[in-house]
Structure formats: C-alpha cells, structure tokens
Amino acid sequence: MKYMCLVYGEEKDLHTLTPEGSAKLNASSIAYDRSLQASGRFIAAEALQSAKSAKSVRRRKGKTLVSDGPFAETKEQLLGFILVEAKNLDEALEIAAGIPLAEMGTIEVRGIYDIPGS
C-alpha cells in the first residue's frame, strides 16, 4: 500500500541552521531517500519552497478565489513529502520515524486512497 509522509516543521528552525548544519540535514535526507530506494519502498520525495510563496485556491459558486499563503494558520508549515510503499501502517510509521526532519518537526502518515474505478 502507498503511504504519504507529510513533513511538517517550523521554517524558522531551518533558517537558524548553520551552513554546515543545513548541509548535514540535506545529506542525511538524500541518504535516507537512497536507502528507501534501495529497499524498494521509495516512490517520490520533494522539499517545498517557503510557505510564504504558497497560494491557496478555492472555488465557490463558480468563482475562483486565490489567496496568499497556506490554507490553515498553523505554527508548523508543510516542508515536504515522501511517498512510500509499505506493507502496512506499522511499516509506514517506521519509515516516517527515520526521516531526518522527524527530529525537528512532525511527520504525518496517511494512506493513499485508491479511487474506485481509476
């Protein structure tokens, strides 16, 4: 089954990293992705640009509304994601626990919904 690991954290924490700390986090993240690839559980992963660059889109009564920023006002921002293949939720949670940013933020794990007939 496919699971989405949504990586949340406070962007300000990333900005306080030293250049060496940032390079170490990037290297750890890439190494973890590669280990998931080697195990056949990796599907995709991406880091996201700052939430300040985000736009939210809604359509109401035929009109499209675009606003600045993420939809919800929260302390943590969505920083990125890893899409994995896991045998079950327990394995997906184990994978999420290994994500380097789990030490700074929160990883939300959600199963992918298979749309019937797709």
Side-chain angles (χ1 to χ4, degrees):
M1 182 168 174
K2 293 178 187 169
Y3 290 89
M4 178 68 73
C5 300
L6 299 168
V7 180
Y8 289 93
E10 294 185 52
E11 287 183 359
K12 67 177 180 62
D13 292 342
L14 297 177
H15 299 300
T16 62
L17 292 173
T18 64
E20 295 81 15
S22 183
K24 182 179 177 184
L25 177 61
N26 288 340
S28 296
S29 296
I30 291 168
Y32 190 64
D33 291 351
R34 288 185 179 148
S35 73
L36 291 174
Q37 285 174 325
S39 72
R41 298 181 294 178
F42 180 89
I43 298 172
E46 293 292 341
L48 299 175
Q49 294 183 0
S50 171
K52 292 176 184 174
S53 69
K55 300 284 185 190
S56 294
V57 177
R58 297 172 187 80
R59 193 172 59 228
R60 302 291 187 270
K61 298 181 182 179
K63 291 188 180 184
T64 299
L65 308 167
V66 179
S67 57
D68 290 336
F71 177 72
E73 292 295 323
T74 62
K75 185 175 179 183
E76 292 184 325
Q77 296 81 39
L78 179 62
L79 302 175
F81 71 89
I82 300 178
L83 183 61
V84 299
E85 183 73 38
K87 291 181 280 193
N88 53 41
L89 179 58
D90 287 338
E91 184 179 43
L93 293 172
E94 180 183 318
I95 291 168
I99 296 171
L101 277 167
E103 293 182 21
M104 296 176 66
T106 304
I107 312 300
E108 177 182 347
V109 178
R110 297 177 70 175
I112 298 298
Y113 176 70
D114 288 322
I115 299 173
S118 62

